[in-house]
Amino acid sequence: MKEKTGLKIERWKEEYRQIKAYAMANNMRNLLIALELAVKYHEGQYRDGGEPYIIHPLMVCKTLMLLNVEKYLKAWYPEKNDSWVKHQCDILLAASVLHDVVEDCELPNKGREMVDVYHLEEEVWIIVNILSKPPKGEPYNPKEYFMGILKSWKATLIKLSDRANNCTTMQVFKESRRIKYIRETSEYIYPLCAEGKRRHPQFSNIIKILENLIVSICESLASLLGMQEEITRQTQNYKEMIDFIEMNAMKENMPNTYQALLMAQKFYEGAFRTSGDPFIIHPLRVSAYLLNLGIMDDVTNASALLHEKAHWAKGADEYVRNSGINPEVIRIVDIVSDKAMPLPKYYKRIQEDPRAILEKLANRAHTCTFLAKASYKEMEAYTKENQEYMVPMCEWAKIHLPQYANQIEIMQYHILSISNIVEVVTKQNRLTSQKGS
């Protein structure tokens, strides 16, 4: 039996309370029923790390809540009324909470009683069954399974949120399972993201955010495990990000972002990440991530593209200052890139500027491939910095920047997920190294 601490049990209760309050406030009948059933069916089950299993479906649901599916439904279906939009979200979130019960809880008749006895709408049951793999011993065709998921936008979003949450707990896996999980993600999940964006374009931003989280975690772990091919595989199509940023800069009238994009391609030319890939990938990801999150501030996105001054080409600093770009962009870049000062002062300066906070959080969520050649001391400093400075800054920002509270919580989740994995794997690798010496 896995360790069951009061602290871990309280965590799921708090997440449950928040989701239930959201369901009641939005009159989501299916979600309220699903919450009760999920607690009932998953009772006595625990995750590999010792947490009550219910925390997993709750976090899958919460992630989709934070990503504000409702906003995209309203934008894509303007002819539909609010009641229809709320109902679609109710079905989605209810299915997300129950997505594992048929597969893991040995329910008779594929959980049909959820409809016949507990009066869930049939669509919830259908989606849960789409997401459920066949029982052990029965034939399982992964390609058919994922093709079935793609037919439903709800099943697609739930599956990606499910994989994202599972990736955040890979620190408890054995090394062989980590390697297998990363390769399985490359083989099936990344194609699911690509095809999901094509089939369900109304949710492409949400899919990109979830993909970002999955890629960053898998890249971080791949860096620690020396799986160079997995890092390279996810960075070959970086020119698509250039097109995406350029399109948004023109569509949203972001002249500084457009100018910064042109300069970034020039300044970072010939520079490479620790993993050996073109350095431009990192600032592109930071800016694209902000755009996917709906952070369309021109100065913030321009500074995201230019924030790595240490990697600029010779003469770039003077060029930027004389380029006519908004001086606020230069100021944010100077604040975020000034890593010579003590950390307390560095983070105090960042916290004084909302744009600097957003840029720093998006940046930290994508600082992962340096781990490929980082020393144990550097890795420990990285996780310590996250706990002592990044987390408190996130908590402060969620209160003081309420217009970005959801985006900040997503970025905090992203950063902590990578940090937890790095911390655990670093300790394990260090112990293995000490035993071998």
Side-chain angles (χ1 to χ4, degrees):
M1 182 67 70
K2 302 289 184 182
E3 176 189 3
K4 303 180 283 294
T5 67
L7 180 61
K8 289 180 178 177
I9 291 173
E10 285 305 314
R11 181 189 169 212
W12 82 256
K13 287 183 178 179
E14 177 57 24
E15 299 296 350
Y16 177 92
R17 184 192 66 77
Q18 290 182 17
I19 296 171
K20 186 172 182 179
Y22 177 86
M24 293 176 68
N26 289 279
N27 195 28
M28 291 183 168
R29 186 186 71 84
N30 288 285
L31 179 53
L32 287 168
I33 296 170
L35 286 167
E36 299 297 327
L37 289 177
V39 172
K40 170 185 170 69
Y41 290 142
H42 289 302
E43 185 177 8
Q45 294 180 345
Y46 295 88
R47 304 208 80 195
D48 290 343
E51 289 184 304
Y53 193 89
I54 187 64
I55 192 65
H56 168 63
L58 291 178
M59 291 308 297
V60 172
C61 177
K62 182 179 180 180
T63 299
L64 294 172
M65 284 168 51
L66 290 171
L67 289 170
N68 199 358
V69 176
E70 183 176 339
K71 179 182 79 172
Y72 295 97
L73 284 170
K74 287 180 177 179
W76 199 262
Y77 303 102
E79 75 281 5
K80 301 291 187 179
N81 59 33
D82 285 349
S83 177
W84 180 87
V85 170
K86 292 285 187 188
H87 180 248
Q88 295 301 308
C89 292
D90 185 22
I91 298 292
L92 170 74
L93 297 177
S96 72
V97 169
L98 293 170
H99 76 273
D100 274 337
V101 298
V102 170
E103 185 176 326
D104 293 345
C105 301
E106 299 181 356
L107 301 183
N109 199 22
K110 295 185 176 181
R112 180 69 203 184
E113 70 272 21
M114 292 190 293
V115 176
D116 296 338
V117 178
Y118 297 102
H119 307 297
L120 272 174
E121 289 187 45
E122 184 143 346
E123 188 182 359
V124 177
W125 176 74
I126 290 171
I127 294 167
V128 171
N129 276 279
I130 289 173
L131 291 162
S132 302
K133 294 176 184 175
K136 289 181 180 179
E138 292 188 14
Y140 167 61
N141 185 318
K143 289 185 179 179
E144 288 182 6
Y145 171 70
F146 284 102
M147 287 300 293
I149 288 173
L150 278 166
K151 293 176 183 177
S152 162
W153 67 263
K154 296 182 180 79
T156 299
L157 295 187
I158 293 168
K159 187 62 184 179
L160 293 177
S161 185
D162 168 50
R163 177 56 60 123
N165 185 255
N166 280 331
C167 282
T168 67
T169 62
M170 283 198 289
Q171 68 269 23
V172 302
F173 294 179
K174 291 182 178 179
E175 183 170 315
S176 59
R177 188 180 173 194
R178 291 170 185 159
I179 293 171
K180 180 181 177 182
Y181 208 73
I182 290 171
R183 288 177 176 160
E184 180 186 271
T185 299
S186 289
E187 187 173 1
Y188 297 111
I189 299 299
Y190 298 144
L192 180 67
C193 291
E195 186 62 15
K197 285 179 281 190
R198 189 185 73 80
R199 292 200 189 193
H200 311 296
Q202 66 272 47
F203 302 110
S204 60
N205 270 1
I206 291 177
I207 293 172
K208 286 176 184 176
I209 293 167
L210 293 169
E211 182 182 23
N212 243 302
L213 175 57
I214 295 166
V215 168
S216 292
I217 293 174
C218 287
E219 267 197 3
S220 298
L221 195 48
S223 296
L224 292 167
L225 297 172
M227 299 173 68
Q228 177 62 31
E229 73 282 1
E230 291 299 330
I231 300 171
T232 306
R233 188 179 306 186
Q234 301 313 317
T235 58
Q236 292 172 343
N237 297 324
Y238 70 89
K239 291 184 180 178
E240 292 179 7
M241 284 189 286
I242 294 175
D243 294 339
F244 173 72
I245 296 168
E246 181 178 342
M247 178 191 71
N248 276 275
M250 295 177 70
K251 179 183 174 183
E252 302 294 335
N253 190 25
M254 301 165 70
N256 293 287
T257 299
Y258 184 80
Q259 187 177 3
L261 178 63
L262 297 176
M263 289 193 285
Q265 294 174 74
K266 180 178 179 180
F267 295 169
Y268 300 125
E269 188 176 3
F272 296 90
R273 299 195 297 172
T274 308
S275 54
D277 298 317
F279 189 84
I280 185 66
I281 290 165
H282 171 63
L284 289 176
R285 281 185 175 174
V286 177
S287 177
Y289 187 53
L290 289 166
L291 293 170
N292 290 145
L293 287 167
I295 299 172
M296 298 295 181
D297 182 77
D298 189 20
V299 169
T300 305
N301 277 279
S303 64
L305 289 162
L306 297 174
H307 75 275
E308 292 284 2
K309 286 184 67 174
H311 295 271
W312 285 4
K314 186 177 180 181
D317 193 4
E318 183 179 357
Y319 180 87
V320 172
R321 295 182 190 281
N322 295 324
S323 68
I325 200 167
N326 189 327
E328 278 296 292
V329 175
I330 299 171
R331 189 178 68 82
I332 300 300
V333 169
D334 286 343
I335 290 172
V336 175
S337 63
D338 188 5
K339 298 174 183 177
M341 65 173 62
L343 286 178
K345 186 176 180 181
Y346 172 70
Y347 277 99
K348 185 175 184 298
R349 285 187 68 196
I350 289 176
Q351 194 164 306
E352 289 171 352
D353 192 297
R355 288 163 164 165
I357 292 173
L358 295 172
E359 195 287 324
K360 183 63 181 179
L361 293 177
N363 176 19
R364 180 52 65 113
H366 293 85
T367 305
C368 48
T369 57
F370 92 94
L371 300 166
K373 295 183 180 179
S375 65
Y376 291 132
K377 186 176 180 180
E378 288 171 325
M379 293 182 195
E380 288 167 355
Y382 165 83
T383 56
K384 184 179 180 182
E385 183 178 339
N386 287 335
Q387 291 293 339
E388 293 186 1
Y389 298 100
M390 297 299 295
V391 172
M393 187 168 72
C394 285
E395 296 298 332
W396 182 91
K398 283 186 287 186
I399 296 171
H400 293 86
L401 302 175
Q403 69 273 37
Y404 294 121
N406 280 10
Q407 291 97 323
I408 292 167
E409 185 157 0
I410 290 166
M411 289 191 279
Q412 181 179 0
Y413 176 53
H414 195 149
I415 292 163
L416 280 178
S417 298
I418 296 172
S419 187
N420 290 339
I421 288 171
V422 172
E423 182 177 19
V424 172
V425 176
T426 299
K427 287 179 180 177
Q428 291 173 347
N429 289 348
R430 192 165 201 165
L431 285 172
T432 301
S433 176
Q434 289 171 348
K435 288 179 181 177
S437 59

